[in-house]
PDB file of all heavy atoms in Angstrom:
ATOM      1  N   LYS A 202       3.091  -4.969  28.610  1.00 96.00           N
ATOM      2  CA  LYS A 202       2.765  -4.842  30.056  1.00 96.00           C
ATOM      3  C   LYS A 202       1.246  -4.843  30.207  1.00 96.00           C
ATOM      4  O   LYS A 202       0.758  -5.460  31.140  1.00 96.00           O
ATOM      5  CB  LYS A 202       3.358  -3.516  30.610  1.00 96.00           C
ATOM      6  CG  LYS A 202       2.992  -3.265  32.038  1.00 96.00           C
ATOM      7  CD  LYS A 202       3.747  -1.979  32.504  1.00 96.00           C
ATOM      8  CE  LYS A 202       3.290  -0.760  31.840  1.00 96.00           C
ATOM      9  NZ  LYS A 202       3.873   0.462  32.387  1.00 96.00           N
ATOM     10  N   PHE A 203       0.547  -4.212  29.288  1.00 97.00           N
ATOM     11  CA  PHE A 203      -0.911  -4.106  29.474  1.00 97.00           C
ATOM     12  C   PHE A 203      -1.702  -5.174  28.670  1.00 97.00           C
ATOM     13  O   PHE A 203      -2.914  -5.306  28.825  1.00 97.00           O
ATOM     14  CB  PHE A 203      -1.340  -2.678  28.996  1.00 97.00           C
ATOM     15  CG  PHE A 203      -2.802  -2.424  29.212  1.00 97.00           C
ATOM     16  CD1 PHE A 203      -3.364  -2.545  30.529  1.00 97.00           C
ATOM     17  CD2 PHE A 203      -3.625  -2.102  28.172  1.00 97.00           C
ATOM     18  CE1 PHE A 203      -4.712  -2.258  30.712  1.00 97.00           C
ATOM     19  CE2 PHE A 203      -5.021  -1.817  28.407  1.00 97.00           C
ATOM     20  CZ  PHE A 203      -5.528  -1.884  29.628  1.00 97.00           C
ATOM     21  N   LEU A 204      -1.021  -5.909  27.805  1.00 97.00           N
ATOM     22  CA  LEU A 204      -1.699  -6.792  26.829  1.00 97.00           C
ATOM     23  C   LEU A 204      -2.663  -7.758  27.562  1.00 97.00           C
ATOM     24  O   LEU A 204      -3.875  -7.815  27.167  1.00 97.00           O
ATOM     25  CB  LEU A 204      -0.636  -7.602  26.079  1.00 97.00           C
ATOM     26  CG  LEU A 204      -1.151  -8.733  25.172  1.00 97.00           C
ATOM     27  CD1 LEU A 204      -2.089  -8.149  24.105  1.00 97.00           C
ATOM     28  CD2 LEU A 204      -0.021  -9.463  24.509  1.00 97.00           C
ATOM     29  N   ASN A 205      -2.239  -8.457  28.521  1.00 96.00           N
ATOM     30  CA  ASN A 205      -3.170  -9.461  29.129  1.00 96.00           C
ATOM     31  C   ASN A 205      -4.281  -8.807  29.937  1.00 96.00           C
ATOM     32  O   ASN A 205      -5.319  -9.424  30.043  1.00 96.00           O
ATOM     33  CB  ASN A 205      -2.365 -10.506  29.959  1.00 96.00           C
ATOM     34  CG  ASN A 205      -1.544 -11.349  29.086  1.00 96.00           C
ATOM     35  OD1 ASN A 205      -1.984 -11.805  28.010  1.00 96.00           O
ATOM     36  ND2 ASN A 205      -0.340 -11.733  29.566  1.00 96.00           N
ATOM     37  N   PHE A 206      -4.028  -7.683  30.544  1.00 97.00           N
ATOM     38  CA  PHE A 206      -5.090  -6.972  31.239  1.00 97.00           C
ATOM     39  C   PHE A 206      -6.190  -6.560  30.226  1.00 97.00           C
ATOM     40  O   PHE A 206      -7.352  -6.649  30.498  1.00 97.00           O
ATOM     41  CB  PHE A 206      -4.534  -5.753  31.947  1.00 97.00           C
ATOM     42  CG  PHE A 206      -3.627  -6.052  33.070  1.00 97.00           C
ATOM     43  CD1 PHE A 206      -2.223  -6.076  32.988  1.00 97.00           C
ATOM     44  CD2 PHE A 206      -4.174  -6.388  34.340  1.00 97.00           C
ATOM     45  CE1 PHE A 206      -1.375  -6.339  34.022  1.00 97.00           C
ATOM     46  CE2 PHE A 206      -3.346  -6.654  35.410  1.00 97.00           C
ATOM     47  CZ  PHE A 206      -1.976  -6.655  35.313  1.00 97.00           C
ATOM     48  N   LEU A 207      -5.737  -6.094  29.050  1.00 97.00           N
ATOM     49  CA  LEU A 207      -6.670  -5.643  28.031  1.00 97.00           C
ATOM     50  C   LEU A 207      -7.410  -6.922  27.480  1.00 97.00           C
ATOM     51  O   LEU A 207      -8.679  -6.862  27.302  1.00 97.00           O
ATOM     52  CB  LEU A 207      -5.914  -5.013  26.810  1.00 97.00           C
ATOM     53  CG  LEU A 207      -6.786  -4.517  25.642  1.00 97.00           C
ATOM     54  CD1 LEU A 207      -7.913  -3.568  26.185  1.00 97.00           C
ATOM     55  CD2 LEU A 207      -6.019  -3.851  24.584  1.00 97.00           C
ATOM     56  N   ARG A 208      -6.715  -8.038  27.311  1.00 97.00           N
ATOM     57  CA  ARG A 208      -7.381  -9.243  26.867  1.00 97.00           C
ATOM     58  C   ARG A 208      -8.513  -9.628  27.808  1.00 97.00           C
ATOM     59  O   ARG A 208      -9.588  -9.977  27.385  1.00 97.00           O
ATOM     60  CB  ARG A 208      -6.383 -10.326  26.753  1.00 97.00           C
ATOM     61  CG  ARG A 208      -5.573 -10.405  25.459  1.00 97.00           C
ATOM     62  CD  ARG A 208      -4.514 -11.452  25.559  1.00 97.00           C
ATOM     63  NE  ARG A 208      -3.914 -11.743  24.236  1.00 97.00           N
ATOM     64  CZ  ARG A 208      -2.730 -12.324  24.003  1.00 97.00           C
ATOM     65  NH1 ARG A 208      -1.957 -12.596  25.058  1.00 97.00           N
ATOM     66  NH2 ARG A 208      -2.284 -12.586  22.801  1.00 97.00           N
ATOM     67  N   ASN A 209      -8.184  -9.644  29.066  1.00 96.00           N
ATOM     68  CA  ASN A 209      -9.166  -9.985  30.077  1.00 96.00           C
ATOM     69  C   ASN A 209     -10.353  -9.039  30.095  1.00 96.00           C
ATOM     70  O   ASN A 209     -11.559  -9.433  30.281  1.00 96.00           O
ATOM     71  CB  ASN A 209      -8.534 -10.063  31.481  1.00 96.00           C
ATOM     72  CG  ASN A 209      -9.419 -10.664  32.510  1.00 96.00           C
ATOM     73  OD1 ASN A 209     -10.261 -11.559  32.207  1.00 96.00           O
ATOM     74  ND2 ASN A 209      -9.311 -10.267  33.764  1.00 96.00           N
ATOM     75  N   PHE A 210     -10.061  -7.767  29.937  1.00 97.00           N
ATOM     76  CA  PHE A 210     -11.115  -6.747  29.867  1.00 97.00           C
ATOM     77  C   PHE A 210     -12.040  -6.992  28.707  1.00 97.00           C
ATOM     78  O   PHE A 210     -13.293  -6.957  28.782  1.00 97.00           O
ATOM     79  CB  PHE A 210     -10.460  -5.366  29.756  1.00 97.00           C
ATOM     80  CG  PHE A 210     -11.504  -4.233  29.858  1.00 97.00           C
ATOM     81  CD1 PHE A 210     -11.781  -3.690  31.127  1.00 97.00           C
ATOM     82  CD2 PHE A 210     -12.131  -3.679  28.779  1.00 97.00           C
ATOM     83  CE1 PHE A 210     -12.717  -2.601  31.165  1.00 97.00           C
ATOM     84  CE2 PHE A 210     -13.050  -2.734  28.788  1.00 97.00           C
ATOM     85  CZ  PHE A 210     -13.369  -2.163  30.083  1.00 97.00           C
ATOM     86  N   LEU A 211     -11.472  -7.366  27.518  1.00 96.00           N
ATOM     87  CA  LEU A 211     -12.285  -7.607  26.327  1.00 96.00           C
ATOM     88  C   LEU A 211     -13.178  -8.802  26.537  1.00 96.00           C
ATOM     89  O   LEU A 211     -14.313  -8.816  25.994  1.00 96.00           O
ATOM     90  CB  LEU A 211     -11.393  -7.782  25.140  1.00 96.00           C
ATOM     91  CG  LEU A 211     -10.493  -6.574  24.696  1.00 96.00           C
ATOM     92  CD1 LEU A 211      -9.610  -6.987  23.533  1.00 96.00           C
ATOM     93  CD2 LEU A 211     -11.331  -5.329  24.439  1.00 96.00           C
ATOM     94  N   LYS A 212     -12.668  -9.839  27.229  1.00 93.00           N
ATOM     95  CA  LYS A 212     -13.498 -11.056  27.448  1.00 93.00           C
ATOM     96  C   LYS A 212     -14.763 -10.659  28.259  1.00 93.00           C
ATOM     97  O   LYS A 212     -15.772 -11.429  28.167  1.00 93.00           O
ATOM     98  CB  LYS A 212     -12.671 -12.040  28.158  1.00 93.00           C
ATOM     99  CG  LYS A 212     -11.733 -12.805  27.236  1.00 93.00           C
ATOM    100  CD  LYS A 212     -11.030 -13.938  28.014  1.00 93.00           C
ATOM    101  CE  LYS A 212     -10.182 -14.793  27.063  1.00 93.00           C
ATOM    102  NZ  LYS A 212     -10.999 -15.608  26.200  1.00 93.00           N
ATOM    103  N   GLN A 213     -14.737  -9.636  28.979  1.00 89.00           N
ATOM    104  CA  GLN A 213     -15.881  -9.264  29.863  1.00 89.00           C
ATOM    105  C   GLN A 213     -16.712  -8.207  29.194  1.00 89.00           C
ATOM    106  O   GLN A 213     -17.616  -7.678  29.821  1.00 89.00           O
ATOM    107  CB  GLN A 213     -15.409  -8.793  31.239  1.00 89.00           C
ATOM    108  CG  GLN A 213     -14.520  -9.780  31.960  1.00 89.00           C
ATOM    109  CD  GLN A 213     -13.803  -9.167  33.200  1.00 89.00           C
ATOM    110  OE1 GLN A 213     -14.367  -8.402  33.869  1.00 89.00           O
ATOM    111  NE2 GLN A 213     -12.583  -9.532  33.392  1.00 89.00           N
ATOM    112  N   GLY A 214     -16.449  -7.895  27.978  1.00 83.00           N
ATOM    113  CA  GLY A 214     -17.136  -6.802  27.371  1.00 83.00           C
ATOM    114  C   GLY A 214     -18.541  -6.941  26.945  1.00 83.00           C
ATOM    115  O   GLY A 214     -19.045  -7.975  27.047  1.00 83.00           O
ATOM    116  N   PRO A 215     -19.248  -6.072  26.361  1.00 87.00           N
ATOM    117  CA  PRO A 215     -20.675  -5.873  26.474  1.00 87.00           C
ATOM    118  C   PRO A 215     -21.493  -7.134  26.278  1.00 87.00           C
ATOM    119  O   PRO A 215     -22.555  -7.344  26.925  1.00 87.00           O
ATOM    120  CB  PRO A 215     -21.046  -4.897  25.312  1.00 87.00           C
ATOM    121  CG  PRO A 215     -19.938  -5.150  24.329  1.00 87.00           C
ATOM    122  CD  PRO A 215     -18.688  -5.446  25.153  1.00 87.00           C
ATOM    123  N   ASN A 216     -21.032  -8.085  25.439  1.00 86.00           N
ATOM    124  CA  ASN A 216     -21.607  -9.381  25.342  1.00 86.00           C
ATOM    125  C   ASN A 216     -20.480 -10.280  24.775  1.00 86.00           C
ATOM    126  O   ASN A 216     -19.465  -9.822  24.329  1.00 86.00           O
ATOM    127  CB  ASN A 216     -22.786  -9.418  24.401  1.00 86.00           C
ATOM    128  CG  ASN A 216     -22.544  -8.788  23.027  1.00 86.00           C
ATOM    129  OD1 ASN A 216     -21.723  -9.239  22.246  1.00 86.00           O
ATOM    130  ND2 ASN A 216     -23.203  -7.623  22.752  1.00 86.00           N
ATOM    131  N   SER A 217     -20.751 -11.595  24.834  1.00 83.00           N
ATOM    132  CA  SER A 217     -19.640 -12.487  24.436  1.00 83.00           C
ATOM    133  C   SER A 217     -19.248 -12.354  23.033  1.00 83.00           C
ATOM    134  O   SER A 217     -18.115 -12.525  22.616  1.00 83.00           O
ATOM    135  CB  SER A 217     -20.093 -13.975  24.737  1.00 83.00           C
ATOM    136  OG  SER A 217     -21.337 -14.298  24.014  1.00 83.00           O
ATOM    137  N   GLU A 218     -20.284 -12.094  22.131  1.00 90.00           N
ATOM    138  CA  GLU A 218     -20.002 -11.935  20.719  1.00 90.00           C
ATOM    139  C   GLU A 218     -19.132 -10.704  20.393  1.00 90.00           C
ATOM    140  O   GLU A 218     -18.128 -10.899  19.646  1.00 90.00           O
ATOM    141  CB  GLU A 218     -21.352 -11.863  19.937  1.00 90.00           C
ATOM    142  CG  GLU A 218     -22.199 -13.113  19.918  1.00 90.00           C
ATOM    143  CD  GLU A 218     -22.977 -13.274  21.134  1.00 90.00           C
ATOM    144  OE1 GLU A 218     -23.053 -12.332  21.943  1.00 90.00           O
ATOM    145  OE2 GLU A 218     -23.553 -14.404  21.375  1.00 90.00           O
ATOM    146  N   TYR A 219     -19.433  -9.556  20.981  1.00 94.00           N
ATOM    147  CA  TYR A 219     -18.623  -8.442  20.678  1.00 94.00           C
ATOM    148  C   TYR A 219     -17.323  -8.465  21.354  1.00 94.00           C
ATOM    149  O   TYR A 219     -16.226  -8.028  20.825  1.00 94.00           O
ATOM    150  CB  TYR A 219     -19.399  -7.092  21.144  1.00 94.00           C
ATOM    151  CG  TYR A 219     -18.902  -5.938  20.274  1.00 94.00           C
ATOM    152  CD1 TYR A 219     -19.500  -5.637  19.074  1.00 94.00           C
ATOM    153  CD2 TYR A 219     -17.842  -5.162  20.718  1.00 94.00           C
ATOM    154  CE1 TYR A 219     -19.061  -4.499  18.325  1.00 94.00           C
ATOM    155  CE2 TYR A 219     -17.339  -4.072  19.945  1.00 94.00           C
ATOM    156  CZ  TYR A 219     -17.987  -3.737  18.779  1.00 94.00           C
ATOM    157  OH  TYR A 219     -17.559  -2.702  17.998  1.00 94.00           O
ATOM    158  N   GLY A 220     -17.236  -9.113  22.517  1.00 93.00           N
ATOM    159  CA  GLY A 220     -15.979  -9.306  23.139  1.00 93.00           C
ATOM    160  C   GLY A 220     -15.074 -10.169  22.334  1.00 93.00           C
ATOM    161  O   GLY A 220     -13.830  -9.899  22.176  1.00 93.00           O
ATOM    162  N   GLU A 221     -15.584 -11.230  21.752  1.00 94.00           N
ATOM    163  CA  GLU A 221     -14.866 -12.112  20.880  1.00 94.00           C
ATOM    164  C   GLU A 221     -14.397 -11.436  19.580  1.00 94.00           C
ATOM    165  O   GLU A 221     -13.313 -11.627  19.076  1.00 94.00           O
ATOM    166  CB  GLU A 221     -15.646 -13.377  20.527  1.00 94.00           C
ATOM    167  CG  GLU A 221     -14.898 -14.424  19.756  1.00 94.00           C
ATOM    168  CD  GLU A 221     -13.727 -15.078  20.583  1.00 94.00           C
ATOM    169  OE1 GLU A 221     -13.838 -15.056  21.842  1.00 94.00           O
ATOM    170  OE2 GLU A 221     -12.770 -15.544  19.922  1.00 94.00           O
ATOM    171  N   TYR A 222     -15.292 -10.594  19.082  1.00 94.00           N
ATOM    172  CA  TYR A 222     -14.994  -9.731  17.872  1.00 94.00           C
ATOM    173  C   TYR A 222     -13.765  -8.846  18.210  1.00 94.00           C
ATOM    174  O   TYR A 222     -12.866  -8.690  17.329  1.00 94.00           O
ATOM    175  CB  TYR A 222     -16.236  -8.932  17.557  1.00 94.00           C
ATOM    176  CG  TYR A 222     -16.047  -7.884  16.440  1.00 94.00           C
ATOM    177  CD1 TYR A 222     -15.923  -8.246  15.155  1.00 94.00           C
ATOM    178  CD2 TYR A 222     -16.015  -6.540  16.736  1.00 94.00           C
ATOM    179  CE1 TYR A 222     -15.760  -7.304  14.178  1.00 94.00           C
ATOM    180  CE2 TYR A 222     -15.891  -5.616  15.730  1.00 94.00           C
ATOM    181  CZ  TYR A 222     -15.758  -5.964  14.454  1.00 94.00           C
ATOM    182  OH  TYR A 222     -15.637  -5.031  13.405  1.00 94.00           O
ATOM    183  N   CYS A 223     -13.776  -8.210  19.333  1.00 95.00           N
ATOM    184  CA  CYS A 223     -12.600  -7.331  19.699  1.00 95.00           C
ATOM    185  C   CYS A 223     -11.328  -8.151  19.908  1.00 95.00           C
ATOM    186  O   CYS A 223     -10.243  -7.743  19.487  1.00 95.00           O
ATOM    187  CB  CYS A 223     -12.962  -6.606  21.003  1.00 95.00           C
ATOM    188  SG  CYS A 223     -14.194  -5.248  20.735  1.00 95.00           S
ATOM    189  N   LEU A 224     -11.447  -9.280  20.521  1.00 95.00           N
ATOM    190  CA  LEU A 224     -10.263 -10.165  20.707  1.00 95.00           C
ATOM    191  C   LEU A 224      -9.611 -10.585  19.430  1.00 95.00           C
ATOM    192  O   LEU A 224      -8.371 -10.642  19.280  1.00 95.00           O
ATOM    193  CB  LEU A 224     -10.588 -11.339  21.565  1.00 95.00           C
ATOM    194  CG  LEU A 224     -10.742 -11.116  23.087  1.00 95.00           C
ATOM    195  CD1 LEU A 224     -11.413 -12.296  23.780  1.00 95.00           C
ATOM    196  CD2 LEU A 224      -9.368 -10.852  23.702  1.00 95.00           C
ATOM    197  N   LYS A 225     -10.434 -10.923  18.445  1.00 95.00           N
ATOM    198  CA  LYS A 225      -9.959 -11.334  17.189  1.00 95.00           C
ATOM    199  C   LYS A 225      -9.250 -10.193  16.500  1.00 95.00           C
ATOM    200  O   LYS A 225      -8.214 -10.265  15.815  1.00 95.00           O
ATOM    201  CB  LYS A 225     -11.084 -11.752  16.234  1.00 95.00           C
ATOM    202  CG  LYS A 225     -11.647 -13.190  16.626  1.00 95.00           C
ATOM    203  CD  LYS A 225     -12.754 -13.562  15.732  1.00 95.00           C
ATOM    204  CE  LYS A 225     -13.307 -14.968  16.083  1.00 95.00           C
ATOM    205  NZ  LYS A 225     -14.457 -15.392  15.208  1.00 95.00           N
TER     206      LYS A 225
END
Side-chain angles (χ1 to χ4, degrees):
K202 179 175 67 176
F203 185 57
L204 173 59
N205 288 324
F206 292 97
L207 180 58
R208 278 172 164 159
N209 191 31
F210 187 90
L211 298 178
K212 281 185 176 290
Q213 302 169 39
N216 54 62
S217 59
E218 290 81 11
Y219 205 87
E221 187 64 26
Y222 173 73
C223 287
L224 280 166
K225 287 180 179 178

